[in-house]
């Protein structure tokens, strides 16, 4: 894995939201601990699985014999709870400046959240929403399936190999790799999953526009 003073180039950037741009851990933990207790599951074990996936996919991984229609019903309920719970939602350090730096460069939000949740969390964190957004409604399969990242690349008109994914979770990093993309891990969780490069926050990340040659990122 690349370390200090790394330089990365790409033609487009595909950005996860939770854990990458927005710190929503407190809200995620509140909602999912409640669900775990309803299912008589260990909340700490549930929280190891939940990051990066759509809710129904987390439930299917934890309760493989449970009917999927129950997972989808619970997913809708939990999404509503998460959307209403913005207490403690804050930006990842440096996220605002980073989004400002890439505003006119090819980039997209690729999140397992739905439209309502992504809108609520980005607003609560005071962050600009990218014009191109791939949300839960956009895909038929959750991360770690690569569908969302591949759709993001297609929307931007960029070859997957020329995209750089920003991710914090095992499911997201796996999805980025499966899409044939390089992955910049963000935050303490990401380091364990061997991204191509890693930063603890988005602070100190310098963006350089190379014109037709794309984007160069300087990692502090």
């Amino acid at each position: 894995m690349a370390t200090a003073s790394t330089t990365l180039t790409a033609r487009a950037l595909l950005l996860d939201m939770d854990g990458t741009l927005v710190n929503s851990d407190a809200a995620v933990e509140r909602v999912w601990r409640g669900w775990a207790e309803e299912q008589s599951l260990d909340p700490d074990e549930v929280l190891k699985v939940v990051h990066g996936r759509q809710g129904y996919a987390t439930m299917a991984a934890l309760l493989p014999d449970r009917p999927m229609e129950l997972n989808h019903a619970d997913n809708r309920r939990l999404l509503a709870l998460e959307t209403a719970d913005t207490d403690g939602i804050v930006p990842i350090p440096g996220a605002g400046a980073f989004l400002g730096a890439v505003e006119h460069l090819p980039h997209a939000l690729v999140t397992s959240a739905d439209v309502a949740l992504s809108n609520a969390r980005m607003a609560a964190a005071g962050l600009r929403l990218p014009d191109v957004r791939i949300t839960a409604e956009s895909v038929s399969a959750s991360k770690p399936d690569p569908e969302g990242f591949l759709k993001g690349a297609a929307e931007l008109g960029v070859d997957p190999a020329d995209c750089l994914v920003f991710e914090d979770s095992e499911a997201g990093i796996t999805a980025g790799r499966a899409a044939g993309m390089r992955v910049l891990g963000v935050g303490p969780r990401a380091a364990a999953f061997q991204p191509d490069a890693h930063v603890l926050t988005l602070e100190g990340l310098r963006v350089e526009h190379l014109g037709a040659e794309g984007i160069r990122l300087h990692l502090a």
Side-chain angles (χ1 to χ4, degrees):
M1 181 175 67
T3 54
S5 303
T6 294
T7 300
L8 299 171
T9 57
R11 293 192 179 278
L13 310 177
L14 302 179
L15 314 174
D16 174 53
M17 181 181 72
D18 292 299
T20 302
L21 298 173
V22 172
N23 183 342
S24 56
D25 282 0
V28 170
E29 183 164 329
R30 283 191 292 270
V31 169
W32 280 93
R33 280 189 180 278
W35 181 84
E37 289 163 6
E38 291 172 9
Q39 306 302 321
S40 300
L41 296 172
D42 180 345
D44 291 330
E45 293 303 311
V46 170
L47 290 171
K48 290 178 183 176
V49 178
V50 69
H51 295 290
R53 292 177 169 84
Q54 291 189 45
Y56 74 85
T58 294
M59 296 169 193
L62 291 164
L63 299 170
D65 297 326
R66 190 180 197 230
M68 190 57 79
E69 58 266 27
L70 294 182
N71 295 338
H72 283 291
D74 270 4
N75 187 42
R76 289 190 292 272
R77 178 170 62 90
L78 265 58
L79 278 171
L81 291 172
E82 288 189 272
T83 302
D85 185 356
T86 56
D87 188 31
I89 300 290
V90 294
I92 295 295
F98 171 73
L99 285 170
V102 302
E103 183 170 4
H104 302 296
L105 302 177
H107 69 289
L109 188 72
V110 182
T111 175
S112 292
D114 64 3
V115 169
L117 181 57
S118 57
N119 287 352
R121 285 188 173 160
M122 291 290 279
L127 295 176
R128 175 186 66 81
L129 270 169
D131 292 337
V132 178
R133 299 186 287 277
I134 306 298
T135 63
E137 295 93 339
S138 310
V139 297
S140 60
S142 169
K143 298 173 187 177
D145 190 282
E147 181 185 2
F149 288 125
L150 291 171
K151 284 202 167 185
E155 286 279 338
L156 294 171
V158 176
D159 188 273
D162 292 326
C163 293
L164 179 66
V165 166
F166 286 57
E167 264 287 358
D168 72 300
S169 69
E170 181 177 17
I173 290 170
T174 300
R177 282 214 196 90
M181 301 172 182
R182 288 159 301 138
V183 181
L184 174 63
V186 179
R189 267 194 299 268
F193 308 118
Q194 287 77 53
D196 296 285
H198 178 253
V199 291
L200 280 175
T201 73
L202 298 174
E203 288 182 300
L205 190 64
R206 187 163 65 85
V207 180
E208 182 183 0
H209 186 199
L210 303 177
E213 295 180 28
I215 304 162
R216 179 180 291 139
L217 298 176
H218 300 269
L219 281 58

